[in-house]
Structures are given as C-alpha cells and as structure tokens.
Amino acid sequence: MDTESTYSGYSYYSGRSRSSHRHGERSRDHHKSRSKDSRSEKSVTINMPPAEPLLGDSAVRGEPVQDDNWGETTTAVTGTSEHSLSQEDIVRITKDLEDSVGLDCRRYLTLTLTVILGLLVFLTPLAFLVLPHLLWPEKLQGCGTACEGLFISVAFKLLILLLAIWALFFRPPRAGLPRVFVFRALLAVLVLLLVVSYWLFYGVRILDSQDENYQGIVQYAVSLVDALLFIHYLAIVLLELRQLQLCFSVCVTRSTDGETRHYNLGQLSIQRAALAILEHYYCDFPVHNPALLSASKSRAAKHLAGLKVYNVDGPGNNAAAGLAHSQSRAMIAAAARRRDSSHNELYYEEAEHERRVRKRKARLVVAVEEAFTHIKHMQEEEQKKAPGDVMDPREAAQAIFPSMARALQKYLRTTKQQHCHSMESIQQHLAFCITNSMTPKAFLESYLTPGPTLRYSRDHWLARQWTLISEASVTSGLKDGTVFLLKCVDFSLVVTSKKIPYIQLSEEYIDPKSHKFVLRLQSETSV
C-alpha cells in the first residue's frame, strides 16, 4: 500500500514536471512567434513628457505600496513613460476627432439658424414700416399724432423683445444633446410660421394694392410685435416655468463603487434630465478613484483562485482518472474550507490598512503644522525687512514644501490619491492658503477628505463625452420607472426615476379652551 501511494505520488509529480516542461517549450515557441509577429507589425511609440503626478501612477497599476523608508531625501518623482499605439488605436483616435468635429459643426449650424431667424424677426416690423416709403411715397397719407405715438410703441417693444430674447436664448450652451430640444424647435417653427403668414398677408393686401393708409400699416407692424412678445411669454412658460414643479425623484448610482445620490426633478425629457444629473454629479459625487477598486479586485482574485488539477496518465487510464478525481475532490474541499476563513484575512487586512492610514495622517498633520508655524515666523521676520526683500506666497510655498512632501507622499500613496494631485497643484494650493492666511486644517482638508470631481484637474476628470443609453426615446418625458444609463469611459451612472406620490393633507381643529386648566393653591401653608 505504501509502495503504491509512493508510486502514485511520484507519477503525479513526474507527470507534472513533464507537463510543465512541455508547457515551457510551447511558451518559448509561442514567445518566438509572437516576437516575430511584433517585429513585423507596424507600431508607433510616443515619448511622453515627464509625468505630472507627484507620485506617478504605480499604485493605479496595482504595484505594492512602498514602506516608510521610501523618499527620505526625495520630494517629487518624475520620469519618462512610453506608450505603444497600434494602428487600431490611431484609427479610433481619428474617429473620435471626426466625431468631435461633427458635434462642433452641428452646434455652429444651430447657432447660425438661430441668428438668421432672430434677424428675420427683428427686421420684419422695420421692413413693414420702410417699404411703403420706398415703393409708393407719393400715395401715402400723412402720419398724425396717433401714428407717431405708434412709432414709439414699436421702438420700445422691439427693444424689450431684443433684451428678452438675449436673456432667454442667447446663453452659452451647457452641453451638446443627442436630439433636438422639442419645445425649442416647436417655438422656432411657430415663430417662422407667424412671420411667413404676416409677410404673405402684407404682400397680398398692402404691397399689391399699394395701400395709402400708413397708420393702418403701422398698426399692422405693432400687431406683429405684440404677437412676438406673446410667443416669448409662451417660451418662458415652456422652457423655464414648466420644469420648476418637482414631479420625479431620481436615484443615481455609480456602477463601480455603488455611490448613490437622490435628486428631485420636474417635467423634463430624458436627455434634459440626463444633463441635469450630470451637472449635479460633478458637484455632489466624490471623485471616481479606480485605484481603490483594484485592491478589492486583487483580493477577490486571490481568494477565488483554486488549486490546479492535473491529469497525469491521460484520459485512457480509468483507474488513474478515478484516483485523480478523488484527489481533486479532496483538494476542492480543502480550498472551500480555506475560503471559509477568508473573512478573517479581510478583517485583519482592513484593520491594518486603517492603522497605517491613521499613522500617516498623524505624521502629515504634524508636518503641516510645523511648516505653517515656520511660515508664521517668516512672516513676522519679513515685516521688519524692507519692502523689496519680502518673499511672495509662491516662494514661501516652494520653501516649506520639502518639509511636508515626504509625509504627504506617503499619505497619498496609502489612500491611493497620488494620481489626483500633482506637485504643481499642491504648491499652488499651498500658496493660495498662505495668501489668504488659512490654517493647516484648511490646507489638509483637500487631501484628507475626497472632494467632488470639479475640485481636481479638468484634464483628468471631466469626461469629453458621455453616452446616453435608454430604451425609450430620449426626447420623451420622464415617467414612473424610467431607467437609463449615462456611460463614460471608466464607469456608468444608472438612473432610475420614481414619481413623487400625491400627498393628501387634512386639518384637525383643536379647541383652544380644551387644554386650559386652573391651578388652585391651599390657603394654609405649613410653618
């Protein structure tokens, strides 16, 4: 029995060594062929400038966090990184540039059409007043006092209309929507139909007959301006006032870390609701940090990695196959028991991480307080110097930054925020705090607490384009149970809408005399 077990064990390891030897030969052959293919494939290598982040991006790639002895005499880390781009990447970049050019052309086309329609609206009443004087001036009747008063009315109404249109429509665009804004398009069509109708009536009844009643022509122009003012009032109701009444509560969840926020919205279309949610996202959601997710993924991969099972003698040997099957079942059971204790590893790992964070936070707080104390002493000394020898806040920040750089580096690495802050941004923030006489706690708040997306660099965090994914048409209004996605490169926002319920309030009258009482005191008191 012992001999058989010894032989089986020997065959298991020898078979494993043979299989690993064959696997090594195949990997070497595959590596040679892949190296040949890589030499024949066209590629472009781009040398990037020195990296901006203070600590590089090693933690983002999943490299281990360095110990406390790192960076004894170092204040910043810079380097040169190389990225290889294939032909597919170049084609994709070219396609993205073409899409961005298409979006710009569409935006400028919309602006051009709006300007043309606006000029048509403002020039039409003036043309109604000027054309009779140019075509048949000798036939026109004299314009009395009432007619001249209408001139003043037209002038002020056109000025009010100009200011109102400028305030409502000529605002910088907040975003590029995938579809046309329905209400705005309907208003544009309505204005166009109104102006065309007035021109047709003017051409048939006034130009053809060469009407001599100039006061009637002026009143006709005044009626057009009045109609345009009423359409502008309708635009205010549809575009601004209609959405003020809150009707829906939307739940926004980030797909990667489950960060959730709730907002109340009015009667909006899906695309305009998506725009409102993105505006809230950049101000309310903490910045998306993919480095925090890599640790949990590596931990899950480590715990889910099972034991490898090898078939030594191949599928032909039934006895060996049965033995291997029984051994694999035993190993799987052992792996399952080992996974059952993985929560202890997770608990101690998180406890150790929290301990390191508290430790490095304490070191950072002490280093920053000492640096600000040194600044205070420097300011007291500079008050005694001549005005030309005073150090500006930028120079003061560069002078004290090395004293806190090591502690700040270690804390940012531990909390995986090193890619969010560059050395230049930290020095600018330090100079800003020195200029405005802010405390060390105010300086550290930007690094101890993750802030919203807009706090950080625009190049890193503002997505160039979002993709709206919805089963319903994006121009349709929000409904109860509407679900759509806002997809970006690294994550997506899942949005679910719920209708705010109808609230019934009732009144209960309480008689003021029902809760009155009388306090009676005894006349005799104890001595």
Side-chain angles (χ1 to χ4, degrees), residues 294-304 346 349-350:
S294 60
S296 61
K297 290 181 180 178
S298 62
R299 188 188 307 117
K302 181 179 66 175
H303 291 316
L304 293 177
L346 176 61
E349 182 179 347
E350 291 182 350

Side-chain angles (χ1 to χ4, degrees), residues 78-98:
T78 59
T80 303
S81 61
E82 295 183 355
H83 298 277
S84 179
L85 295 178
S86 63
Q87 292 284 27
E88 292 80 2
D89 295 332
I90 296 176
V91 171
R92 179 176 54 81
I93 294 173
T94 306
K95 183 178 180 299
D96 293 340
L97 291 176
E98 292 176 355

Side-chain angles (χ1 to χ4, degrees), residues 218-498:
V218 175
Q219 290 178 350
Y220 183 72
V222 171
S223 66
L224 174 60
V225 178
D226 292 338
L228 292 174
L229 287 173
F230 280 112
I231 291 179
H232 187 272
Y233 172 73
L234 178 62
I236 294 175
V237 173
L238 293 179
L239 302 181
E240 300 294 334
L241 300 182
R242 182 175 177 269
Q243 63 187 13
L244 295 181
Q245 183 180 3
L246 302 178
C247 301
F248 297 94
S249 175
V250 294
C251 174
V252 185
T253 305
R254 191 157 56 189
S255 60
T256 51
D257 54 0
E259 192 74 28
T260 303
R261 295 290 187 274
H262 294 269
Y263 303 106
N264 292 335
L265 299 178
Q267 296 180 358
L268 297 172
S269 62
I270 293 179
Q271 62 177 359
R272 289 183 61 81
L275 177 59
I277 289 170
L278 289 178
E279 291 174 350
H280 286 295
Y281 168 78
Y282 283 118
C283 298
D284 296 343
F285 274 74
V287 65
H288 179 256
N289 193 351
L292 295 176
L293 305 175
S294 60
S296 61
K297 290 181 180 178
S298 62
R299 188 188 307 117
K302 181 179 66 175
H303 291 316
L304 293 177
L307 297 177
K308 296 182 179 180
V309 180
Y310 298 91
N311 189 359
V312 179
D313 297 324
N317 193 342
N318 295 330
L323 180 61
H325 180 67
S326 62
Q327 290 178 352
S328 64
R329 291 181 61 184
M331 288 186 291
I332 291 173
R337 288 192 298 270
R338 198 158 49 244
R339 290 191 195 100
D340 292 338
S341 61
S342 61
H343 63 279
N344 291 329
E345 300 177 6
L346 176 61
Y347 171 76
Y348 288 113
E349 182 179 347
E350 291 182 350
E352 177 64 19
H353 177 71
E354 292 176 358
R355 186 192 66 82
R356 294 178 62 191
V357 169
R358 291 195 301 268
K359 176 182 176 182
R360 297 191 174 181
K361 178 181 176 181
R363 291 181 178 177
L364 175 61
V365 171
V366 172
V368 171
E369 289 180 351
E370 291 177 354
F372 272 75
T373 304
H374 182 62
I375 289 178
K376 187 176 180 180
H377 292 327
M378 290 173 58
Q379 290 177 348
E380 293 177 354
E381 293 177 357
E382 287 176 355
Q383 291 178 357
K384 304 176 183 178
K385 297 181 180 178
D389 299 335
V390 177
M391 183 181 299
D392 62 347
R394 180 67 178 177
E395 295 177 352
Q398 293 177 353
I400 67 167
F401 177 71
S403 62
M404 68 175 73
R406 178 174 174 270
L408 183 59
Q409 286 175 350
K410 289 181 176 295
Y411 179 80
L412 294 179
R413 278 190 177 274
T414 305
T415 56
K416 299 186 183 301
Q417 300 182 62
Q418 70 275 11
H419 61 285
C420 300
H421 305 279
S422 63
M423 183 175 63
E424 182 66 22
S425 65
I426 295 174
Q427 290 183 357
Q428 290 178 357
H429 181 57
L430 181 58
F432 176 79
C433 294
I434 294 174
T435 304
N436 296 278
S437 302
M438 301 173 71
T439 61
K441 185 177 180 181
F443 169 76
L444 288 173
E445 187 65 24
S446 299
Y447 310 104
L448 300 182
T449 305
T453 307
L454 290 179
R455 178 191 290 182
Y456 302 93
S457 174
R458 183 184 184 90
D459 298 333
H460 290 287
W461 306 120
L462 281 185
R464 187 174 61 85
Q465 185 176 2
W466 289 81
T467 303
L468 176 58
I469 303 174
S470 173
E471 294 182 356
S473 176
V474 295
T475 56
S476 61
L478 286 176
K479 298 179 181 178
D480 188 16
T482 301
V483 179
F484 59 90
L485 270 71
L486 290 168
K487 192 173 183 180
C488 155
V489 177
D490 300 327
F491 58 92
S492 60
L493 300 177
V494 183
V495 183
T496 306
S497 66
K498 294 292 183 181

Side-chain angles (χ1 to χ4, degrees), residues 3-308:
T3 306
E4 291 177 359
S5 62
T6 304
Y7 177 73
S8 63
Y10 172 74
S11 62
Y12 175 78
Y13 285 105
S14 62
R16 182 174 180 180
S17 62
R18 286 196 301 270
S19 62
S20 62
H21 179 67
R22 289 194 298 269
H23 178 69
E25 291 178 352
R26 287 196 301 269
S27 63
R28 286 194 296 271
D29 295 338
H30 179 66
H31 178 70
K32 291 179 180 179
S33 61
R34 187 172 61 183
S35 62
K36 293 178 181 178
D37 296 338
S38 62
R39 285 193 298 268
S40 62
E41 184 182 1
K42 294 181 179 179
S43 62
V44 179
T45 303
I46 299 176
N47 292 327
M48 302 297 292
E52 248 190 42
L54 176 65
L55 308 169
D57 56 350
S58 58
V60 180
R61 297 192 298 265
E63 295 183 3
V65 179
Q66 301 189 21
D67 58 358
D68 292 341
N69 296 324
W70 179 86
E72 290 288 344
T73 60
T74 308
T75 59
V77 175
T78 59
T80 303
S81 61
E82 295 183 355
H83 298 277
S84 179
L85 295 178
S86 63
Q87 292 284 27
E88 292 80 2
D89 295 332
I90 296 176
V91 171
R92 179 176 54 81
I93 294 173
T94 306
K95 183 178 180 299
D96 293 340
L97 291 176
E98 292 176 355
D99 294 339
S100 62
V101 171
L103 291 174
D104 293 338
C105 292
R106 187 176 65 177
R107 185 171 71 238
Y108 290 128
L109 178 61
T110 304
L111 180 61
T112 303
L113 293 177
T114 304
V115 171
I116 292 175
L117 183 59
L119 291 176
L120 180 63
V121 166
F122 281 101
L123 294 179
T124 295
L126 300 178
F128 287 170
L129 300 176
V130 172
L131 286 178
H133 286 283
L134 297 178
L135 298 179
W136 60 94
E138 66 280 354
K139 297 181 181 180
L140 290 177
Q141 297 178 0
C143 184
T145 306
C147 181
E148 294 176 355
L150 291 177
F151 282 150
I152 300 175
S153 175
V154 169
F156 276 96
K157 287 180 180 179
L158 285 177
L159 179 60
I160 293 172
L161 184 62
L162 175 63
L163 295 177
I165 290 178
W166 170 79
L168 183 61
F169 293 103
F170 287 92
R171 291 180 289 186
R174 297 180 296 171
L177 299 179
R179 298 292 179 90
V180 179
F181 187 15
V182 177
F183 287 140
R184 182 169 292 188
L186 289 177
L187 290 170
V189 172
L190 181 60
V191 170
L192 184 61
L193 289 177
L194 176 68
V195 174
V196 170
S197 301
Y198 265 79
W199 269 112
L200 290 176
F201 187 85
Y202 185 82
V204 173
R205 299 299 299 270
I206 298 177
L207 291 180
D208 291 344
S209 62
Q210 294 185 354
D211 192 0
E212 300 177 358
N213 186 9
Y214 189 68
Q215 183 175 358
I217 297 174
V218 175
Q219 290 178 350
Y220 183 72
V222 171
S223 66
L224 174 60
V225 178
D226 292 338
L228 292 174
L229 287 173
F230 280 112
I231 291 179
H232 187 272
Y233 172 73
L234 178 62
I236 294 175
V237 173
L238 293 179
L239 302 181
E240 300 294 334
L241 300 182
R242 182 175 177 269
Q243 63 187 13
L244 295 181
Q245 183 180 3
L246 302 178
C247 301
F248 297 94
S249 175
V250 294
C251 174
V252 185
T253 305
R254 191 157 56 189
S255 60
T256 51
D257 54 0
E259 192 74 28
T260 303
R261 295 290 187 274
H262 294 269
Y263 303 106
N264 292 335
L265 299 178
Q267 296 180 358
L268 297 172
S269 62
I270 293 179
Q271 62 177 359
R272 289 183 61 81
L275 177 59
I277 289 170
L278 289 178
E279 291 174 350
H280 286 295
Y281 168 78
Y282 283 118
C283 298
D284 296 343
F285 274 74
V287 65
H288 179 256
N289 193 351
L292 295 176
L293 305 175
S294 60
S296 61
K297 290 181 180 178
S298 62
R299 188 188 307 117
K302 181 179 66 175
H303 291 316
L304 293 177
L307 297 177
K308 296 182 179 180

